[in-house]
Amino acid sequence: MAKLGKRTRAAREAIVGKENVSVEEAVSLIKANANAKFDETVEIAMNLGVDTRHADQMVRGVIGLPNGTGKTMRVAVFARGAKAEEAQAAGADIVGAEDLMETVQGGTIEFDRCIATPDMMPIVGRLGKVLGPRNLMPNPKVGTVTMDVAQAVQDAKGGQVQFRAEKGGVVHAGVGKASFDEAKLVENIRAFVSAVSKARPAGAKGTYMKKVSLSTTMGPGVSVAVDSANAE
């Protein structure tokens, strides 16, 4: 087993015995241990009681975090004509059609969110095997297949976060930066958990939220009491 560095060992020792704590205490702990030379992302991981192999148990949604993510979102838009101009005016980083499809097919993906007008989906659909595994495929359920491309770009740039349950029923996302005030992180975390709670699928049986944990990019995870995380 690889030997742990002093920083990693100290961070892990700081959370020993700290399990199922309140959101406020968890945020305080992870911020205190965020000692990397860059502004670490605060990440949330949720274990849900769903089996994503069944369509009626898929969890998917979008939430605009009240205090943003602290991340610069690179947005690509598949559109033509006036809609392409709208996207550019709204601040989209990349706008295109067949040319953008060819770029992506060639392995160049320099964006974090992909938006498309409905008429572009036959083209975007060819990229399913490339964009799908990266959770970048435009989807009308989360507002990324739309004629209102300007609003979609603004939402993406303004701190909107998409989520989707992966294999094993795990949902994870970045909910801010370690430099954020504790109160703002707590607000973002509760907003995200609330959105996942409201996205509970009809096919989910038994306990829906099984476990919630918080961490920073380079730090250990701290388990949070589900009731505290899901407090309205």
Side-chain angles (χ1 to χ4, degrees):
M1 186 174 69
K3 186 177 180 180
L4 297 177
K6 288 183 179 180
R7 190 191 68 81
T8 301
R9 189 164 60 248
R12 291 189 178 184
E13 289 174 353
I15 65 168
V16 171
K18 305 287 187 179
E19 297 180 357
N20 294 320
V21 300
S22 68
V23 173
E24 289 82 359
E25 184 175 355
V27 167
S28 180
L29 284 168
I30 62 174
K31 275 178 64 68
N33 286 295
N35 299 315
K37 295 181 180 180
F38 61 94
D39 192 5
E40 298 179 54
T41 296
V42 174
E43 301 173 352
I44 187 170
M46 304 174 65
N47 291 77
L48 306 178
V50 297
D51 186 343
T52 55
R53 292 175 298 179
H54 301 288
D56 66 344
Q57 293 189 47
M58 175 52 68
V59 177
R60 185 168 194 163
V62 63
I63 172 68
L65 296 179
N67 301 297
T69 64
K71 177 181 179 180
T72 300
M73 184 69 70
R74 300 171 301 170
V75 180
V77 178
F78 282 88
R80 290 195 180 96
K83 290 300 175 182
E85 293 176 4
E86 284 181 29
Q88 289 176 329
D93 299 278
I94 306 169
V95 181
E98 286 86 357
D99 56 334
L100 180 53
M101 177 192 71
E102 292 173 1
T103 298
V104 174
Q105 284 180 327
T108 301
I109 302 176
E110 297 179 335
F111 51 86
D112 309 297
R113 180 72 55 84
C114 186
I115 297 165
T117 53
D119 60 297
M120 296 299 296
M121 287 310 292
I123 291 175
V124 181
R126 303 178 199 175
L127 302 172
K129 291 183 179 180
V130 180
L131 298 179
R134 294 174 171 81
N135 199 24
L136 290 173
M137 193 69 182
N139 189 309
K141 292 182 179 180
V142 294
T144 48
V145 177
T146 177
M147 289 299 289
D148 194 352
V149 291
Q151 186 62 55
V153 171
Q154 290 169 12
D155 288 343
K157 293 282 188 176
Q160 191 183 68
V161 175
Q162 294 181 5
F163 59 86
R164 182 180 68 176
E166 300 178 353
K167 186 176 181 181
V170 176
V171 169
H172 63 83
V175 290
K177 292 290 185 177
S179 60
F180 281 21
D181 290 342
E182 291 187 14
K184 289 184 177 181
L185 283 171
V186 169
E187 189 178 9
N188 275 3
I189 291 162
R190 288 204 168 115
F192 183 85
V193 173
S194 176
V196 175
S197 177
K198 291 174 181 175
R200 177 172 180 154
K205 306 298 181 184
T207 302
Y208 177 52
M209 288 192 183
K210 293 185 172 182
K211 184 179 179 182
V212 178
S213 65
L214 298 174
S215 64
T216 56
T217 306
M218 303 296 289
V222 178
S223 63
V224 179
V226 174
D227 290 344
S228 176
N230 200 28
E232 293 291 342

